[in-house]
Amino acid sequence: MNDTIAHFSVKSIGLSTFNGRNACNLLTAARHNLREIQAELGAAGHINPMRSASNIVLYGPASAAEVQAQADALLAGAGIDTGKLRRDHCQAIEAVFSLPTDAAVTDPAAYFERCLEWVAGALRLPVLNAVLHLDEQAPHLHVLLLPVRDRAHVGSAPIERME
């Protein structure tokens, strides 16, 4: 890999509007990442629908409903009853890696696969889905992780030191 460094940001996905955050849920985030929200594909948006077919699912299901089902199964398997969590609990953690538009990366998929490996190892959370977007000006990767570790819901704690 060359010396190019991706921009990295991370956020929790939940129904909280604390600190001016927009309320969001896992299903909506997955629908955006997998380009299932038709309104985002219009002519006025920053997404080029003619290039959306070039997006690559690097990990996980290819539909938002399957991402949600996978999360539900993992939560149930860990014995976590989401009905007992706060109403605005963290449903997922999303990491986004973005390359500058002038980056000299010859194989963006390989580059972002390394980013995926890094975030999975750094946060030690189950990866639900990772989608490489090539339909916007700059290539970028969205990674959705389930905030569960050692059969416990850990919320946004794994990223509090990163924010």
Side-chain angles (χ1 to χ4, degrees):
M1 185 164 16
N2 62 26
D3 293 334
T4 300
I5 297 180
H7 172 75
F8 170 68
S9 65
V10 64
K11 67 178 180 178
S12 63
I13 296 175
L15 298 174
S16 173
T17 55
F18 183 71
N19 282 342
R21 292 180 178 160
N22 290 331
C24 184
N25 62 29
L26 172 59
L27 186 61
T28 302
R31 289 185 67 222
H32 165 75
N33 294 349
L34 292 163
R35 299 299 192 238
E36 294 179 4
I37 301 175
Q38 189 61 35
E40 292 179 342
L41 301 177
H46 58 281
I47 298 168
N48 181 342
M50 301 302 291
R51 292 180 21 205
S52 291
S54 64
N55 292 346
I56 303 167
V57 177
L58 293 179
Y59 184 88
S63 81
E66 291 173 296
V67 172
Q68 182 68 60
Q70 177 185 13
D72 293 343
L74 288 169
L75 288 164
I80 298 169
D81 179 358
T82 57
K84 294 183 178 180
L85 298 175
R86 291 174 34 156
R87 183 182 61 80
D88 63 349
H89 71 277
C90 174
Q91 297 178 12
I93 292 173
E94 181 173 38
V96 179
F97 298 87
S98 183
L99 283 172
T101 56
D102 61 351
V105 175
T106 57
D107 187 355
Y111 184 86
F112 285 117
E113 284 175 7
R114 297 280 309 274
C115 293
L116 172 58
E117 290 171 16
W118 176 82
V119 77
L123 295 182
R124 300 181 300 117
L125 299 171
V127 176
L128 297 171
N129 187 254
V131 181
L132 172 55
H133 285 170
L134 300 170
D135 60 356
E136 296 181 53
Q137 187 172 4
H140 59 281
L141 175 71
H142 291 264
V143 182
L144 293 173
L145 303 110
L146 189 66
V148 171
R149 185 182 300 141
D150 299 326
R151 301 180 60 83
H153 185 271
V154 295
S156 60
I159 62 169
E160 287 175 358
R161 60 183 165 81
M162 293 181 171
E163 292 186 310

